[in-house]
Amino acid sequence: YSAAAAICRRALGSSIGTSRGEGARSAYYASCHPLNHYRWRPVNLRRMTSSTSDNKNAPKSSVERSVCPSTGTPLLTPAGLLFEHASIMSPRTSSDNTNDDELECLLPKDDDNFTEHVKPPESNFFFIPQVKLHDGDGSQRKRVLVLCTGGTLTMAPCPENGGALSPVPGALTDFMKSMLELSNEKMPDVVVHEYCPLLDSSDMGPPDWQVIARDIKANYLHFDGFVVLMGTDTMAYTATALSFMLENLGKPVVFTGSQIPIAEPHSDARQNLIMSLIFAARESPISEVTIFFHDRLIRACRAQKVNAGELHAFDSPNIPPLATTGIAIKENDHLILPPARGVLRVHTRMDTRLLALRLVPGFDDQILRHTIQAGAESGSLRALVLQLYGTGNAPAVKEDFINCLKIATDLGILVVASTQCHRGSVMMGHYATGKALERAGVVSSNDMTLEAISCKIAYLMGRGDLTKDEIGDLMCVSMRGEVTHSDALPPPPFSSTFQRASRKGRHYY
């Protein structure tokens, strides 16, 4: 165990690499991690499994909740727990009488309550077969866990709802059993879990994000990749939130869905599903939270839904896709983040006490003033996101508006400026109106999407160990590739030749 502990300490030595070429070293640390060599005894192996929420004999998870305590809306229930472990041992140890406390000392410790390290759950039961991924000879196919939350992909006309589309439990599992593509030796072994109840994506929120993050955590060491199927309406928010919640992610997590139900003959679900499985099980994986849709793989925290009526539903406004598909898969290697060098840390607290406002000409300042005062007095407002015009401009001649923002920052509310434009960046300080906002304490968000801004703020406030000023300083710092560094942004209009030349060729993605 001393050798294993030394390997763990080396793996925890640094949290981020400098190039994709360091993947071999990171993979070596991951393969030597003692948790990767557990020996398990499967109790009830099922190749395809739907939600076990209907099984009365299934043990209950400590995080299981069927409705939100505050709103009463239905929530996803955690994945069913199907397997019992025989022992937790390293393959180098011949005795099975190891004390669990000895294993626990090898795991990283965290004094606060805001993060969770990947370690064996306290329950005696586990979801999905807990077996080694590979035997070491390279002959075994990779394994991918598919988590289905619902969405258009699982829907069909429901006579009880007047023919309106409704989720059909078990439809995805039945469809995947009939897919001949999955029997190809180049495809991974697939395990499917359908949550119960299946939800429309518009009904999903932070409690459901926590369920998905916890299920990925519980099965992280036993699958090569993960595919999350859900509706497209809030997919960008969910995927962005997961990218912040899963720190030091070393395996691909691919979100996908469809614009046409899977039961329709011309559905786009088959292609999206197959390509997501391929990206989740590649030999050189893109170990990020991503969204695959139509023909492109997009970084989750850069994605936006831009079209509700065509198959090309998602776009990455300010950076190119990580990969595109056609006859061959073409990767933009310079955009892919370096592999993580630490162990996975799962953050499950998201503080969503924030408000996003889109300004329109002639808006009433008093409404904003009353909202800020009421939110500050009740403690229900900690951050305010303003979608401003162009490069982050607001009516500077309206002194009441600028004073209102100054009052908000003095009351401890973080005020963040974003742009209403689909492409481009906030450039505070270039125009006089931006200078007025800076003096009022407004923070720039550079070229982040609204989805990335809101989820990043919720993640940073949920940590509980950062002040308002520290969160403001981190808004323009790239944590998951969600923002472009200020030095790499395009130069502002009417800039000098020296300014344009000094920024040419700089890329911080």
Side-chain angles (χ1 to χ4, degrees), residues 252-272:
V253 176
V254 186
F255 279 73
T256 193
S258 69
Q259 293 285 72
I260 306 172
I262 202 170
E264 298 294 332
H266 63 297
S267 174
D268 58 331
R270 179 185 291 269
Q271 176 186 350
N272 290 345

Side-chain angles (χ1 to χ4, degrees), residues 149 204 209 212 216 226-231 234-243 246 253-257 272 276 288-293 296-298 300:
T149 69
M204 295 181 61
W209 305 343
I212 298 174
I216 292 176
F226 302 86
V227 173
V228 181
L229 304 180
M230 64 173 296
T234 62
M235 182 186 294
Y237 286 95
T238 304
T240 300
L242 263 292
S243 68
L246 303 175
V253 176
V254 186
F255 279 73
T256 193
N272 290 345
S276 297
E288 303 181 30
V289 181
T290 57
I291 293 177
F292 180 84
F293 221 87
R296 59 188 58 189
L297 186 74
I298 302 171

Side-chain angles (χ1 to χ4, degrees), residues 32-244:
C32 293
H33 196 288
L35 298 184
N36 276 354
H37 299 292
Y38 288 170
R39 292 187 286 124
W40 305 91
R41 173 170 52 84
V43 176
N44 183 20
L45 175 59
R46 291 189 292 179
R47 172 66 179 274
M48 294 290 187
T49 174
S50 60
S51 176
T52 59
S53 301
D54 297 333
N55 184 1
K56 297 181 180 179
N57 297 325
K60 300 294 183 180
S61 171
S62 60
V63 299
E64 181 172 352
R65 289 181 294 174
S66 57
V67 297
C68 180
S70 59
T71 63
T73 56
L75 302 177
L76 295 176
T77 54
L81 309 175
L82 300 177
F83 284 83
E84 182 179 8
H85 69 278
S87 62
I88 302 179
M89 296 291 295
S90 167
R92 301 182 181 87
T93 307
S94 58
S95 174
D96 285 351
N97 297 324
T98 305
N99 189 348
D100 287 345
D101 293 338
E102 298 179 5
L103 174 69
E104 191 71 21
C105 69
L106 299 178
L107 301 173
K109 300 293 185 180
D110 199 357
D111 295 334
D112 57 61
N113 297 321
F114 300 106
T115 62
E116 301 179 19
H117 295 289
V118 171
K119 57 183 179 180
E122 297 179 357
S123 171
N124 290 329
F125 296 89
F126 292 87
F127 162 55
I128 305 304
Q130 308 297 320
V131 296
K132 289 190 297 182
L133 290 178
H134 308 291
D135 293 329
D137 56 359
S139 61
Q140 185 172 344
R141 295 197 294 181
K142 291 197 173 185
R143 304 176 67 240
V144 174
L145 173 61
V146 177
L147 300 174
C148 179
T149 69
T152 303
L153 185 143
T154 64
M155 292 184 178
C158 179
E160 298 178 358
N161 296 331
L165 293 176
S166 301
V168 179
L172 173 68
T173 303
D174 294 338
F175 178 81
M176 294 187 66
K177 286 181 179 179
S178 64
M179 290 178 63
L180 298 179
E181 293 88 346
L182 295 183
S183 61
N184 191 299
E185 62 180 8
K186 297 180 180 179
M187 294 296 290
D189 288 330
V190 178
V191 177
V192 178
H193 175 77
E194 294 188 15
Y195 288 99
C196 182
L198 295 176
L199 298 179
D200 189 285
S201 64
S202 58
D203 293 325
M204 295 181 61
D208 304 301
W209 305 343
Q210 294 176 10
V211 172
I212 298 174
R214 290 179 186 272
D215 286 341
I216 292 176
K217 166 205 166 187
N219 300 277
Y220 182 76
L221 300 175
H222 313 290
F223 289 89
D224 294 283
F226 302 86
V227 173
V228 181
L229 304 180
M230 64 173 296
T232 59
D233 288 345
T234 62
M235 182 186 294
Y237 286 95
T238 304
T240 300
L242 263 292
S243 68
F244 288 109

Side-chain angles (χ1 to χ4, degrees), residues 456-473:
K456 184 174 184 177
I457 292 175
Y459 159 70
L460 293 175
M461 293 194 305
R463 289 178 60 96
D465 57 352
L466 299 172
T467 64
K468 178 180 76 72
D469 293 336
E470 290 173 336
I471 295 175
D473 293 338

